[in-house]
Amino acid sequence: SIQALIKASPMADDLGKHIGTIAAVTDITERKRAEEGLKWELEVNASLSLLYPPLISALSTIEDISDIVLREAKALTASTQGYVSSIDPETGTMVPHTLAAMTKAECALTGEDMEIEFLRGNDGRYNGLWGHSLNTRESFIVHSPLEHPASKGTPEGHIPIRSFLSVPVVLGDELVGQISLANKKGDYADRDLRAVERLATYYALAIQHKRAEAALIKAHESLEIRVRERTQDLAQANKELRKQIRDRRKAEEALRESEKKYSTLIEQSLTGVFIQQEERIVFANERFAQMHGYKKEEIMGIESLNLIYPDDRAMVRQYREDRMHGKDVPSEYETRGLTKDGKVIWEVRRN
């Protein structure tokens, strides 16, 4: 549809009598499309930025990251159901990390059904509509799921699936997981698919990061065990020690490369991102520093509440304390921030 901006002015004769109207019409369709596209890009970048802290945290698990990926994927696409899974590199079994939580809330499955794994067939292929993107390694959208050639119907007790979007998660040449969504409020669009594919890129890096961490831990543990058990056979112990050192170096190199990729992604984000410890900023990307009129190195160590308008600090502090104690807080809210020179800016904060 065409959108236009109309400016009209009345026309009058010498006696002041209205004799008509003159109007100018400007086609602003492209401008509106560009504005909508930019807004969507900012929303996607904001979702991606939320993945950075858990990605680099040694305390977060793949399940924690999967929960965030599913939450942001559902929010971006207005989907009501979905799951995020990873694939066992040895068996090829797909393990949904978020399906159990979804099932409790949205499906009529109970008891042993809560422990779910999706196996490959004897031919190495995955069954049903859920396996289509894994078999083809291509993302897809379907608005009549039961009519899709790969569909095997809906299991008894399962929620009805009216529409379905699925994106395979690939790391290099390896299939490592899947993000699938269902029942959008409306029809899925190409931009929904593109947004989930960008989340899938981050999720693939998360799997790589966690594998590198696990390999590093395993290498350290194995090294300690070998040293204790092989003290009577020095030659064999030295051989194993050299092997473990090589493995550890490879794991550390993979971990450093993974963290470098994460840092690059977050530094290029259009959304301001910061991390604080004990009320002070210990990390901030360039965008966040620019928003507040600082250079990146200047903003490090600043008390984060000093960047918030005084009247809004109590609210931000309260939300932070509520979140730490497990209470429900708004997923996003507006506050007034302060720049280095004391100007007030409006910010949208996301928890």
Side-chain angles (χ1 to χ4, degrees):
S1 61
I2 296 176
Q3 300 184 58
L5 177 65
I6 301 175
K7 295 182 179 181
S9 300
M11 298 175 60
D13 59 18
D14 294 339
L15 299 177
K17 182 180 178 180
H18 180 266
I19 60 174
T21 302
I22 185 170
V25 181
T26 303
D27 186 344
I28 60 171
T29 305
E30 291 303 319
R31 189 182 77 185
K32 288 296 183 181
R33 287 176 181 169
E35 290 175 352
E36 180 63 23
L38 179 58
K39 180 182 177 182
W40 175 251
E41 182 69 19
L42 290 174
E43 290 176 2
V44 174
N45 283 332
S47 292
L48 294 175
S49 69
L50 292 178
L51 293 174
Y52 181 70
L55 285 182
I56 64 174
S57 173
L59 300 178
S60 63
T61 64
I62 197 65
E63 288 79 10
D64 296 330
I65 297 171
S66 296
D67 285 340
I68 298 174
V69 170
L70 179 61
R71 183 189 69 198
E72 295 304 313
K74 289 172 66 176
L76 285 171
T77 61
S79 298
T80 56
Q81 280 87 34
Y83 65 84
V84 174
S85 65
S86 64
I87 294 178
D88 188 310
E90 296 182 3
T91 66
T93 299
M94 189 183 80
V95 182
H97 300 296
T98 55
L99 183 60
M102 182 194 78
T103 303
K104 291 177 184 177
E106 300 162 343
C107 292
L109 300 176
T110 58
E112 294 182 355
D113 292 333
M114 301 304 295
E115 299 296 332
I116 299 176
E117 293 182 342
F118 295 93
L119 306 177
R120 287 189 302 189
N122 293 331
D123 60 356
R125 294 175 63 82
Y126 297 92
N127 189 37
L129 187 63
W130 62 268
H132 183 65
S133 66
L134 300 179
N135 294 330
T136 63
R137 296 199 179 189
E138 293 182 358
S139 307
F140 76 98
I141 294 171
V142 59
H143 290 114
S144 299
L146 294 179
E147 298 177 7
H148 193 277
S151 176
K152 301 297 182 181
T154 303
E156 183 179 354
H158 197 282
I159 57 171
I161 301 298
R162 300 183 302 276
S163 57
F164 190 71
L165 179 154
S166 185
V167 173
V169 180
V170 180
L171 184 60
D173 295 328
E174 182 185 2
L175 185 66
V176 296
Q178 183 182 45
I179 303 174
S180 292
L181 302 165
N183 297 349
K184 174 184 174 70
K185 299 173 183 177
D187 288 341
Y188 286 112
D190 182 67
R191 75 172 190 176
D192 295 320
L193 204 64
R194 300 287 84 78
V196 178
E197 286 176 341
R198 289 175 64 180
L199 286 171
T201 299
Y202 270 64
Y203 185 50
L205 291 175
I207 292 175
Q208 181 188 46
H209 189 68
K210 292 306 173 185
R211 284 183 178 181
E213 286 181 343
L216 183 60
I217 292 172
K218 184 177 180 180
H220 280 294
E221 292 176 347
S222 180
L223 178 61
E224 293 174 359
I225 293 172
R226 294 294 184 182
V227 169
R228 288 196 303 266
E229 292 180 349
R230 299 297 179 95
T231 53
Q232 295 180 356
D233 188 348
L234 182 60
Q236 183 65 28
N238 287 336
K239 180 179 179 180
E240 291 295 325
L241 180 61
R242 288 193 296 271
K243 180 180 183 299
Q244 293 301 325
I245 290 175
R246 289 196 301 270
D247 290 345
R248 185 178 65 184
R249 286 175 177 172
K250 289 180 180 179
E252 290 174 339
E253 183 178 354
L255 185 60
R256 286 194 299 269
E257 181 64 23
S258 179
E259 290 176 344
K260 181 180 178 181
K261 291 179 180 178
Y262 301 149
S263 298
T264 300
L265 286 170
I266 205 66
E267 284 294 349
Q268 294 176 350
S269 174
L270 299 178
T271 301
V273 178
F274 75 97
I275 299 174
Q276 66 177 37
Q277 291 180 353
E278 297 180 353
E279 303 296 328
R280 295 191 177 276
I281 295 175
V282 297
F283 170 83
N285 66 356
E286 288 287 348
R287 178 57 181 154
F288 181 82
Q290 291 172 358
M291 287 167 57
H292 292 273
Y294 289 86
K295 294 181 180 179
K296 185 175 177 181
E297 59 271 15
E298 292 178 330
I299 208 167
M300 298 300 180
I302 290 179
E303 188 171 347
S304 61
L305 286 176
N306 289 340
L307 301 177
I308 299 172
Y309 191 75
D311 291 349
D312 293 348
R313 291 172 184 172
M315 174 185 66
V316 174
R317 188 183 292 110
Q318 187 62 51
Y319 281 164
R320 185 184 303 159
E321 292 177 356
D322 288 348
R323 185 172 64 253
M324 291 177 62
H325 290 87
K327 297 180 181 180
D328 289 335
V329 296
S331 60
E332 64 178 39
Y333 58 94
E334 290 189 348
T335 63
R336 289 168 291 182
L338 291 177
T339 64
K340 181 179 179 180
D341 58 4
K343 292 181 180 178
V344 177
I345 59 174
W346 280 98
E347 300 174 318
V348 176
R349 290 180 168 253
R350 302 193 73 181
N351 290 312

